[in-house]
Amino acid sequence: MWEQADPADSAIVIVVLRSLRGWDQADLAQAAGLSASSISRYENGERVPPRRSFERIVAAVGVPLPMVDRLFAWIRSARAALVRSPEDSQGVFDALCGEFSEGISHALRSAAPLLLAGQPAFGSISWARPLPPSPEDRKRAAALWEVMRRREPPDRWMLVEDAEEYRSWGLCELLCHESEKAAADDAGRAVELAELALLIADLAPGEEAWRWRLQGYASAHLGNALRVRTDWPGAEKAFGRAFELWQAGAPGDPGLLSEVQVLSLLASLRIDQDRLPEATDLLERALADNPGALRPILFIQKARAQEWSGDYEGALATLRQVGPLSADPQGQRLVLILKNNSAWNLTHLGR
């Protein structure tokens, strides 16, 4: 429910959550791994916190998400009741507080001035229309990552929260690719990078459909990182969200993000789950979509699915379609994978 909240409602909920712990804004910021300036903006109603930041706040306080949803519903009910009985606002508020436990009722009373006094007309604020996504953003991403990678993970999160230039779709895409590379050696780091990419996607400027597309792309990479960490339920959930957002955001994508990449990542999960026909269908779709530089990887994935199904001759035939590979480090790595997988299939065939 918080995802549809307006800034006034989310401000009240954050004040209530913080008050439950007896924290000030600096305490909450430290516990949630966010900056104090971000917490201040949220509580002042300047903007709704992005999904990942709100989840960090809730986790830091230790309140179940259903209770948070109930708080949002209560705020809407309280507003309606106060409109009906403005002459007895304090009495109405006190009666409504009785719905909750003593601790939450006390916290709600600490946020009473926000609800009773009302909030500024946020809808009247005039915002400049953001520039549409451009390939130029991709060129600037490397410089942004060079600064970011030298910082500790909590500082990276704060950098995105506080500095608008780090909410770039190009940086989000780059972090997704860094997450995929890290997955080979360090699943934890892969998850951390994918979650950071998701934060950027939540905050990225542009039309809502474009943000959905970007969130879908980042969620697919989070699913891949969770797959490598063998968190199968988490991976399945992340990919489910990824495809829902990816498809919803299709009208907002000017062709900058690769659907082939998303299909390839999901195919890896399906292979690990032994859902081989689904994996093969995904890879065939990807190969039919002019995959470019991803073509060798898709053939290797397809051969892996064939090998796991016992079709060793078919796997060898697929591997022969890979063709020449470049001499860069990624190409050399693929050569090793290609030779290893070919040898393994030949061993199964006794050759």
Side-chain angles (χ1 to χ4, degrees), residues 144-216:
L144 294 172
W145 171 235
E146 186 61 27
V147 174
M148 180 179 276
R149 73 178 182 84
R150 294 196 294 266
R151 302 198 177 196
E152 293 299 315
D155 294 333
R156 295 172 185 171
W157 197 280
M158 292 181 191
L159 198 62
V160 175
E161 285 272 357
D162 293 338
E164 190 171 347
E165 63 267 29
Y166 285 89
R167 302 170 198 163
S168 154
W169 80 265
L171 180 59
C172 175
E173 180 190 52
L174 189 151
L175 285 169
C176 286
H177 296 169
E178 290 293 324
S179 171
E180 187 183 8
K181 287 193 291 184
D185 304 309
D186 188 340
R189 182 168 182 268
V191 170
E192 181 262 314
L193 291 169
E195 288 183 333
L196 186 60
L198 255 178
L199 176 66
I200 296 173
D202 288 342
L203 294 172
E207 301 296 333
E208 187 173 45
W210 166 244
R211 276 196 304 277
W212 288 340
R213 192 73 159 178
L214 195 58
Q215 289 165 354

Coordinates of all heavy atoms in Angstrom, one line a residue, residues 144-216:
L144 N 30.8 7.6 -13.4 CA 30.0 7.6 -12.1 C 30.4 6.3 -11.3 O 30.6 6.4 -10.1 CB 28.5 7.6 -12.4 CG 28.0 8.9 -13.0 CD1 26.5 8.7 -13.4 CD2 28.1 10.1 -12.1
W145 N 30.5 5.2 -12.0 CA 30.9 4.0 -11.3 C 32.3 4.0 -10.7 O 32.6 3.5 -9.7 CB 30.7 2.8 -12.2 CG 31.2 1.5 -11.7 CD1 32.1 0.7 -12.3 CD2 30.9 0.8 -10.5 NE1 32.3 -0.5 -11.5 CE2 31.6 -0.4 -10.4 CE3 30.0 1.2 -9.4 CZ2 31.5 -1.3 -9.3 CZ3 29.9 0.3 -8.3 CH2 30.6 -0.9 -8.3
E146 N 33.2 4.7 -11.4 CA 34.6 4.8 -11.0 C 34.6 5.5 -9.6 O 35.4 5.1 -8.7 CB 35.4 5.6 -12.0 CG 36.9 5.6 -11.7 CD 37.5 4.3 -11.7 OE1 37.0 3.3 -12.4 OE2 38.5 4.1 -11.0
V147 N 33.8 6.5 -9.4 CA 33.7 7.2 -8.1 C 33.0 6.3 -7.1 O 33.5 6.1 -6.0 CB 32.9 8.5 -8.3 CG1 32.7 9.1 -6.9 CG2 33.7 9.5 -9.2
M148 N 31.9 5.7 -7.5 CA 31.1 4.9 -6.6 C 31.8 3.6 -6.1 O 31.7 3.2 -4.9 CB 29.8 4.5 -7.3 CG 28.9 3.7 -6.4 SD 27.3 3.3 -7.3 CE 26.4 4.8 -7.0
R149 N 32.6 2.9 -7.0 CA 33.1 1.6 -6.6 C 34.2 1.7 -5.5 O 34.5 0.8 -4.8 CB 33.7 0.9 -7.8 CG 35.0 1.5 -8.4 CD 35.5 0.8 -9.6 NE 36.8 1.3 -10.0 CZ 38.0 1.0 -9.5 NH1 38.1 0.1 -8.5 NH2 39.1 1.5 -10.0
R150 N 34.8 2.9 -5.3 CA 35.8 3.1 -4.3 C 35.2 3.3 -2.9 O 35.9 3.4 -1.9 CB 36.7 4.3 -4.6 CG 37.5 4.1 -5.9 CD 38.7 5.1 -6.0 NE 38.2 6.5 -6.2 CZ 38.0 7.0 -7.4 NH1 38.3 6.4 -8.4 NH2 37.6 8.3 -7.5
R151 N 33.8 3.4 -2.8 CA 33.2 3.6 -1.6 C 32.6 2.3 -1.0 O 32.4 1.3 -1.7 CB 32.0 4.6 -1.8 CG 32.5 6.0 -2.3 CD 31.5 7.0 -2.1 NE 31.9 8.3 -2.5 CZ 31.3 9.5 -2.1 NH1 30.3 9.5 -1.3 NH2 31.8 10.6 -2.6
E152 N 32.4 2.3 0.3 CA 31.8 1.2 0.9 C 30.3 1.1 0.5 O 29.7 2.1 0.2 CB 31.9 1.3 2.4 CG 33.3 1.2 3.0 CD 33.9 -0.1 2.6 OE1 33.3 -1.2 2.8 OE2 35.1 -0.1 2.2
P153 N 29.7 -0.1 0.5 CA 28.3 -0.3 0.1 C 27.3 0.7 0.7 O 26.5 1.3 0.0 CB 28.0 -1.8 0.4 CG 29.3 -2.4 0.3 CD 30.3 -1.5 0.8
P154 N 27.3 0.9 2.1 CA 26.4 1.9 2.6 C 26.5 3.3 2.0 O 25.6 4.0 1.8 CB 26.6 1.9 4.1 CG 27.3 0.6 4.4 CD 28.1 0.3 3.1
D155 N 27.8 3.7 1.8 CA 28.1 5.0 1.2 C 27.6 5.1 -0.2 O 27.1 6.2 -0.7 CB 29.6 5.3 1.3 CG 30.1 5.4 2.7 OD1 29.2 5.8 3.6 OD2 31.2 5.2 2.9
R156 N 27.6 4.0 -1.0 CA 27.1 4.0 -2.3 C 25.6 4.3 -2.3 O 25.0 5.0 -3.1 CB 27.4 2.7 -3.0 CG 28.8 2.4 -3.2 CD 29.0 0.9 -3.7 NE 30.4 0.6 -3.8 CZ 30.9 -0.7 -4.1 NH1 30.0 -1.6 -4.2 NH2 32.1 -0.9 -4.2
W157 N 24.9 3.6 -1.3 CA 23.5 3.8 -1.2 C 23.1 5.2 -0.9 O 22.2 5.8 -1.5 CB 23.0 2.9 -0.1 CG 21.5 2.6 -0.1 CD1 20.5 3.5 0.4 CD2 20.8 1.5 -0.6 NE1 19.3 2.9 0.2 CE2 19.4 1.7 -0.4 CE3 21.2 0.3 -1.2 CZ2 18.5 0.7 -0.8 CZ3 20.3 -0.6 -1.6 CH2 18.9 -0.4 -1.4
M158 N 23.9 5.8 0.0 CA 23.6 7.3 0.3 C 23.9 8.2 -0.9 O 23.2 9.2 -1.1 CB 24.5 7.6 1.5 CG 24.1 7.0 2.8 SD 25.2 7.5 4.2 CE 24.7 6.3 5.4
L159 N 24.9 7.8 -1.7 CA 25.3 8.6 -2.8 C 24.1 8.7 -3.8 O 23.8 9.8 -4.3 CB 26.5 8.0 -3.5 CG 27.3 8.9 -4.5 CD1 27.9 10.1 -3.8 CD2 28.4 8.0 -5.1
V160 N 23.4 7.6 -4.0 CA 22.3 7.6 -4.9 C 21.1 8.3 -4.3 O 20.4 9.1 -5.0 CB 21.9 6.1 -5.2 CG1 20.6 6.1 -6.0 CG2 23.0 5.4 -5.9
E161 N 20.9 8.2 -3.0 CA 19.9 8.9 -2.3 C 20.1 10.4 -2.4 O 19.1 11.2 -2.5 CB 19.8 8.5 -0.8 CG 19.2 7.1 -0.6 CD 17.7 7.2 -0.4 OE1 17.2 8.3 -0.5 OE2 17.1 6.1 -0.3
D162 N 21.3 10.9 -2.3 CA 21.6 12.3 -2.1 C 22.0 13.0 -3.4 O 21.8 14.3 -3.4 CB 22.6 12.5 -1.0 CG 22.2 12.1 0.4 OD1 21.0 12.1 0.6 OD2 23.0 11.8 1.2
A163 N 22.5 12.3 -4.4 CA 23.1 13.0 -5.5 C 22.3 12.6 -6.8 O 22.3 11.4 -7.2 CB 24.5 12.7 -5.7
E164 N 21.6 13.6 -7.4 CA 20.7 13.3 -8.5 C 21.5 12.6 -9.7 O 20.9 11.8 -10.4 CB 20.0 14.5 -9.0 CG 18.9 14.3 -10.0 CD 18.1 15.6 -10.2 OE1 18.3 16.6 -9.4 OE2 17.4 15.6 -11.2
E165 N 22.7 13.0 -9.9 CA 23.4 12.5 -11.1 C 23.7 11.0 -11.0 O 23.9 10.3 -12.1 CB 24.8 13.2 -11.3 CG 25.8 13.0 -10.2 CD 25.7 14.1 -9.2 OE1 24.6 14.7 -9.0 OE2 26.8 14.4 -8.5
Y166 N 23.6 10.4 -9.8 CA 23.8 8.9 -9.7 C 22.5 8.2 -9.9 O 22.5 6.9 -9.7 CB 24.4 8.6 -8.3 CG 25.8 9.0 -8.2 CD1 26.2 10.3 -7.9 CD2 26.8 8.1 -8.6 CE1 27.6 10.6 -7.8 CE2 28.2 8.5 -8.6 CZ 28.5 9.7 -8.2 OH 29.9 10.1 -8.2
R167 N 21.4 8.8 -10.2 CA 20.1 8.2 -10.5 C 20.0 8.0 -12.0 O 18.9 8.1 -12.6 CB 19.0 8.9 -9.9 CG 19.1 9.2 -8.4 CD 18.0 10.1 -7.9 NE 18.4 10.7 -6.6 CZ 17.9 11.7 -6.1 NH1 17.0 12.4 -6.7 NH2 18.3 12.1 -4.9
S168 N 21.1 7.6 -12.6 CA 21.1 7.5 -14.1 C 20.8 6.1 -14.5 O 21.3 5.1 -14.0 CB 22.6 7.9 -14.6 OG 22.9 7.3 -15.8
W169 N 20.0 6.0 -15.6 CA 19.6 4.6 -16.1 C 20.9 3.9 -16.6 O 21.0 2.7 -16.5 CB 18.6 4.7 -17.2 CG 19.2 5.1 -18.5 CD1 19.2 6.3 -19.1 CD2 19.7 4.2 -19.5 NE1 19.8 6.3 -20.3 CE2 20.2 5.0 -20.6 CE3 20.0 2.8 -19.5 CZ2 20.8 4.4 -21.7 CZ3 20.6 2.3 -20.6 CH2 21.0 3.1 -21.7
G170 N 21.8 4.7 -17.1 CA 23.1 4.1 -17.6 C 23.9 3.5 -16.5 O 24.5 2.4 -16.6
L171 N 23.9 4.2 -15.3 CA 24.6 3.6 -14.2 C 23.9 2.4 -13.7 O 24.5 1.4 -13.3 CB 24.7 4.6 -13.1 CG 25.4 4.2 -11.8 CD1 26.9 3.7 -12.1 CD2 25.4 5.3 -10.8
C172 N 22.5 2.4 -13.7 CA 21.7 1.2 -13.3 C 22.1 0.0 -14.2 O 22.3 -1.1 -13.7 CB 20.3 1.5 -13.4 SG 19.2 0.2 -13.1
E173 N 22.2 0.2 -15.5 CA 22.5 -0.8 -16.4 C 23.9 -1.4 -16.2 O 24.1 -2.6 -16.1 CB 22.4 -0.3 -17.9 CG 22.7 -1.4 -18.9 CD 22.8 -0.8 -20.3 OE1 23.6 0.2 -20.5 OE2 22.2 -1.3 -21.2
L174 N 24.8 -0.5 -15.9 CA 26.2 -0.9 -15.7 C 26.3 -1.7 -14.4 O 27.0 -2.7 -14.4 CB 27.1 0.4 -15.6 CG 28.6 0.2 -15.5 CD1 29.4 1.3 -16.2 CD2 29.1 -0.1 -14.1
L175 N 25.6 -1.3 -13.3 CA 25.6 -2.0 -12.1 C 25.0 -3.4 -12.3 O 25.5 -4.4 -11.7 CB 24.9 -1.3 -11.0 CG 25.6 -0.1 -10.4 CD1 24.6 0.8 -9.6 CD2 26.8 -0.5 -9.6
C176 N 24.0 -3.5 -13.1 CA 23.4 -4.8 -13.4 C 24.5 -5.8 -14.1 O 24.6 -6.9 -13.7 CB 22.3 -4.7 -14.4 SG 20.8 -4.0 -13.6
H177 N 25.3 -5.2 -15.0 CA 26.3 -6.0 -15.6 C 27.4 -6.4 -14.7 O 28.0 -7.5 -14.7 CB 26.8 -5.3 -16.9 CG 25.8 -5.1 -17.9 ND1 26.0 -4.3 -19.0 CD2 24.6 -5.6 -18.0 CE1 24.9 -4.3 -19.8 NE2 24.0 -5.1 -19.2
E178 N 27.7 -5.4 -13.8 CA 28.7 -5.7 -12.7 C 28.2 -6.8 -11.8 O 29.0 -7.6 -11.3 CB 29.1 -4.4 -11.9 CG 29.8 -3.4 -12.7 CD 31.3 -3.8 -13.0 OE1 31.9 -4.5 -12.2 OE2 31.7 -3.5 -14.1
S179 N 27.0 -6.8 -11.5 CA 26.4 -7.8 -10.6 C 26.5 -9.2 -11.3 O 26.8 -10.2 -10.7 CB 24.9 -7.5 -10.4 OG 24.3 -8.6 -9.7
E180 N 26.2 -9.2 -12.6 CA 26.3 -10.5 -13.3 C 27.8 -11.0 -13.3 O 28.0 -12.2 -13.2 CB 25.8 -10.3 -14.8 CG 25.7 -11.6 -15.5 CD 25.3 -11.4 -17.0 OE1 25.2 -10.3 -17.4 OE2 25.1 -12.5 -17.7
K181 N 28.7 -10.1 -13.5 CA 30.1 -10.5 -13.5 C 30.5 -11.0 -12.1 O 31.2 -12.0 -11.9 CB 31.0 -9.4 -13.9 CG 31.0 -9.1 -15.4 CD 32.1 -8.2 -15.8 CE 31.9 -6.8 -15.3 NZ 33.0 -5.8 -15.8
A182 N 30.1 -10.3 -11.1 CA 30.4 -10.7 -9.7 C 29.8 -12.0 -9.3 O 30.4 -12.7 -8.4 CB 29.9 -9.6 -8.7
A183 N 28.7 -12.4 -9.9 CA 28.0 -13.6 -9.5 C 28.9 -14.9 -9.7 O 28.7 -15.9 -9.0 CB 26.7 -13.8 -10.4
A184 N 29.9 -14.8 -10.6 CA 30.7 -16.0 -10.8 C 31.6 -16.3 -9.6 O 32.1 -17.4 -9.4 CB 31.6 -15.7 -12.0
D185 N 31.9 -15.2 -8.8 CA 32.9 -15.4 -7.7 C 32.3 -15.1 -6.3 O 32.7 -15.6 -5.3 CB 34.1 -14.5 -7.9 CG 34.8 -14.8 -9.2 OD1 35.1 -16.0 -9.5 OD2 35.0 -13.9 -10.0
D186 N 31.3 -14.1 -6.3 CA 30.9 -13.6 -5.0 C 29.4 -13.3 -5.1 O 29.0 -12.2 -5.5 CB 31.7 -12.3 -4.6 CG 31.4 -11.8 -3.2 OD1 30.3 -12.2 -2.7 OD2 32.2 -11.1 -2.7
A187 N 28.5 -14.2 -4.7 CA 27.1 -14.1 -4.8 C 26.6 -12.9 -3.9 O 25.7 -12.2 -4.3 CB 26.4 -15.3 -4.4
G188 N 27.2 -12.7 -2.8 CA 26.8 -11.6 -1.9 C 27.0 -10.3 -2.5 O 26.1 -9.4 -2.4
R189 N 28.2 -10.1 -3.2 CA 28.4 -8.8 -3.8 C 27.5 -8.7 -5.0 O 27.1 -7.5 -5.3 CB 29.9 -8.8 -4.3 CG 30.3 -7.5 -5.0 CD 31.8 -7.4 -5.1 NE 32.1 -6.1 -5.7 CZ 32.3 -5.9 -7.0 NH1 32.1 -6.9 -7.9 NH2 32.6 -4.7 -7.5
A190 N 27.2 -9.8 -5.7 CA 26.3 -9.7 -6.8 C 24.9 -9.2 -6.4 O 24.3 -8.4 -7.1 CB 26.1 -11.0 -7.5
V191 N 24.4 -9.7 -5.3 CA 23.1 -9.2 -4.7 C 23.2 -7.8 -4.3 O 22.3 -7.0 -4.7 CB 22.7 -10.1 -3.5 CG1 21.5 -9.5 -2.8 CG2 22.4 -11.5 -3.9
E192 N 24.3 -7.4 -3.7 CA 24.4 -6.0 -3.3 C 24.4 -5.0 -4.4 O 23.7 -4.0 -4.4 CB 25.7 -5.8 -2.5 CG 26.0 -4.4 -2.0 CD 27.0 -3.6 -2.8 OE1 28.0 -4.2 -3.2 OE2 26.7 -2.4 -3.1
L193 N 25.1 -5.4 -5.5 CA 25.1 -4.5 -6.7 C 23.8 -4.5 -7.4 O 23.3 -3.4 -7.9 CB 26.2 -5.0 -7.7 CG 27.7 -4.8 -7.2 CD1 28.6 -5.6 -8.1 CD2 28.0 -3.3 -7.2
A194 N 23.1 -5.6 -7.4 CA 21.8 -5.6 -8.1 C 20.8 -4.8 -7.3 O 19.9 -4.1 -7.8 CB 21.3 -7.1 -8.2
E195 N 20.8 -4.9 -5.9 CA 19.9 -4.1 -5.1 C 20.2 -2.6 -5.3 O 19.3 -1.8 -5.3 CB 20.1 -4.5 -3.7 CG 19.5 -5.9 -3.4 CD 19.6 -6.3 -1.9 OE1 20.5 -5.8 -1.2 OE2 18.7 -7.1 -1.5
L196 N 21.5 -2.2 -5.4 CA 21.8 -0.8 -5.7 C 21.3 -0.4 -7.0 O 20.7 0.7 -7.2 CB 23.3 -0.7 -5.6 CG 23.9 0.8 -5.7 CD1 23.3 1.6 -4.6 CD2 25.4 0.8 -5.8
A197 N 21.3 -1.3 -8.0 CA 20.8 -0.9 -9.3 C 19.3 -0.7 -9.2 O 18.7 0.2 -9.9 CB 21.1 -2.1 -10.3
L198 N 18.6 -1.5 -8.4 CA 17.2 -1.4 -8.2 C 16.8 -0.1 -7.5 O 15.8 0.6 -7.9 CB 16.6 -2.5 -7.3 CG 15.9 -3.6 -8.0 CD1 15.4 -4.7 -7.0 CD2 14.6 -3.1 -8.8
L199 N 17.6 0.4 -6.6 CA 17.4 1.7 -6.0 C 17.5 2.8 -7.0 O 16.6 3.7 -7.1 CB 18.5 1.9 -4.9 CG 18.4 3.3 -4.2 CD1 17.1 3.5 -3.4 CD2 19.6 3.6 -3.3
I200 N 18.5 2.7 -7.9 CA 18.6 3.7 -9.0 C 17.4 3.7 -9.9 O 16.8 4.7 -10.3 CB 19.9 3.5 -9.8 CG1 21.1 3.7 -8.9 CG2 19.9 4.4 -11.0 CD1 22.4 3.4 -9.5
A201 N 16.9 2.4 -10.2 CA 15.7 2.3 -11.0 C 14.5 2.9 -10.4 O 13.7 3.5 -11.1 CB 15.5 0.8 -11.4
D202 N 14.4 2.8 -9.1 CA 13.3 3.4 -8.4 C 13.3 4.9 -8.4 O 12.2 5.6 -8.5 CB 13.3 3.0 -6.9 CG 12.9 1.5 -6.7 OD1 12.3 0.9 -7.6 OD2 13.2 0.9 -5.6
L203 N 14.5 5.5 -8.5 CA 14.6 6.9 -8.4 C 14.9 7.6 -9.7 O 15.0 8.8 -9.8 CB 15.8 7.3 -7.4 CG 15.6 6.9 -6.0 CD1 16.9 7.2 -5.2 CD2 14.4 7.8 -5.4
A204 N 15.1 6.8 -10.8 CA 15.5 7.3 -12.1 C 14.5 8.3 -12.6 O 13.2 8.2 -12.5 CB 15.6 6.2 -13.1
P205 N 14.9 9.4 -13.2 CA 14.0 10.4 -13.8 C 13.4 9.8 -15.1 O 13.9 8.8 -15.7 CB 14.9 11.6 -14.2 CG 16.3 11.0 -14.4 CD 16.3 9.8 -13.4
G206 N 12.3 10.4 -15.5 CA 11.6 10.0 -16.7 C 10.2 9.6 -16.4 O 9.7 9.6 -15.3
E207 N 9.5 9.1 -17.5 CA 8.1 8.7 -17.4 C 8.0 7.4 -16.6 O 9.0 6.6 -16.5 CB 7.6 8.4 -18.8 CG 7.6 9.7 -19.7 CD 6.7 10.8 -19.2 OE1 5.7 10.5 -18.5 OE2 7.0 12.0 -19.5
E208 N 6.9 7.2 -16.0 CA 6.7 6.0 -15.2 C 6.9 4.7 -15.9 O 7.5 3.8 -15.3 CB 5.2 6.0 -14.6 CG 5.0 4.9 -13.5 CD 3.6 5.1 -12.9 OE1 2.6 5.3 -13.6 OE2 3.5 5.0 -11.7
A209 N 6.5 4.6 -17.1 CA 6.7 3.4 -17.9 C 8.1 3.1 -18.1 O 8.6 1.9 -18.0 CB 6.0 3.5 -19.3
W210 N 9.0 4.1 -18.3 CA 10.4 3.9 -18.4 C 11.0 3.3 -17.1 O 11.8 2.4 -17.1 CB 11.1 5.2 -18.8 CG 12.6 5.2 -18.7 CD1 13.3 5.9 -17.8 CD2 13.5 4.3 -19.4 NE1 14.7 5.6 -18.0 CE2 14.8 4.6 -18.9 CE3 13.3 3.3 -20.3 CZ2 15.9 4.0 -19.4 CZ3 14.5 2.7 -20.8 CH2 15.8 3.0 -20.3
R211 N 10.5 3.9 -16.0 CA 11.0 3.4 -14.7 C 10.6 1.9 -14.5 O 11.4 1.1 -13.9 CB 10.5 4.2 -13.5 CG 11.4 5.5 -13.3 CD 11.1 6.1 -11.9 NE 9.7 6.4 -11.7 CZ 9.1 7.5 -12.2 NH1 9.9 8.4 -12.8 NH2 7.9 7.8 -12.0
W212 N 9.4 1.6 -14.9 CA 9.0 0.2 -14.8 C 9.9 -0.7 -15.6 O 10.3 -1.8 -15.1 CB 7.6 0.0 -15.3 CG 6.5 0.5 -14.4 CD1 6.6 0.8 -13.1 CD2 5.2 0.9 -14.8 NE1 5.4 1.3 -12.6 CE2 4.5 1.4 -13.6 CE3 4.5 0.8 -16.0 CZ2 3.2 1.8 -13.7 CZ3 3.2 1.3 -16.0 CH2 2.5 1.8 -14.9
R213 N 10.3 -0.3 -16.8 CA 11.1 -1.1 -17.7 C 12.5 -1.3 -17.0 O 13.1 -2.4 -16.9 CB 11.3 -0.4 -19.0 CG 12.0 -1.2 -20.1 CD 11.1 -2.3 -20.6 NE 11.5 -2.7 -22.0 CZ 10.9 -3.7 -22.7 NH1 9.9 -4.3 -22.1 NH2 11.4 -4.0 -23.9
L214 N 13.0 -0.2 -16.4 CA 14.3 -0.2 -15.8 C 14.3 -1.1 -14.5 O 15.2 -1.8 -14.2 CB 14.8 1.2 -15.4 CG 16.2 1.5 -15.1 CD1 17.2 1.0 -16.2 CD2 16.4 3.0 -14.8
Q215 N 13.2 -1.0 -13.7 CA 13.0 -1.8 -12.6 C 13.0 -3.3 -12.9 O 13.5 -4.1 -12.2 CB 11.8 -1.4 -11.8 CG 11.9 0.0 -11.1 CD 10.5 0.5 -10.7 OE1 9.5 0.0 -11.0 NE2 10.6 1.7 -10.0
G216 N 12.3 -3.6 -14.0 CA 12.2 -4.9 -14.5 C 13.6 -5.5 -14.8 O 13.9 -6.6 -14.5

